[in-house]
């Protein structure tokens, strides 16, 4: 089974101004023991998108709207064998 994570928007109303992705596995220290790393590595991710509003009266430089919205979503693994994670 393959999981995924997505942020979708109406291209007629918004354009992508900026985006980033976060891998929570990257927060596990490199020096962590293998037992800890294997317990916490779950391929949990987050996506962040900054969208500019189209059809706005207050357009700034480059045709982008001055009005923006930031949206984020995440995919988190949970398993009853690791309730504390």
């Amino acid at each position: 089974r393959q999981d995924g994570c997505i942020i979708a928007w109406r291209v007629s109303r918004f354009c992508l101004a900026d985006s980033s992705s976060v891998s929570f596995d990257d927060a596990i220290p490199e020096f962590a023991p293998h037992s800890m790393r294997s317990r916490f590595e779950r391929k949990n991710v987050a996506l962040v998108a900054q969208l500019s509003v189209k059809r706005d009266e207050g357009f700034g430089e480059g045709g982008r709207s001055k009005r923006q919205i930031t949206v984020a979503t995440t995919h988190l693994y949970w398993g009853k064998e690791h309730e504390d994670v």
Side-chain angles (χ1 to χ4, degrees), residues 34-85:
H34 176 72
S35 60
M36 178 188 221
R37 185 167 280 287
S38 64
R39 180 171 174 80
F40 286 93
E41 276 185 344
R42 297 286 171 235
K43 298 182 180 171
N44 294 327
V45 297
L47 300 176
V48 182
Q50 186 175 19
L51 304 174
S52 291
V53 179
K54 288 183 176 180
R55 298 183 184 160
D56 185 5
E57 294 177 9
F59 277 88
E61 290 184 32
R64 287 188 178 162
S65 170
K66 293 180 182 177
R67 294 177 50 204
Q68 294 186 332
I69 184 170
T70 301
V71 181
T73 189
T74 187
H75 181 273
L76 301 175
Y77 169 85
W78 179 84
K80 59 183 169 182
E81 69 277 4
H82 300 293
E83 289 185 0
D84 60 321
V85 177

Side-chain angles (χ1 to χ4, degrees), residues 28-33 37:
I28 302 169
E30 289 183 29
F31 57 83
R37 185 167 280 287

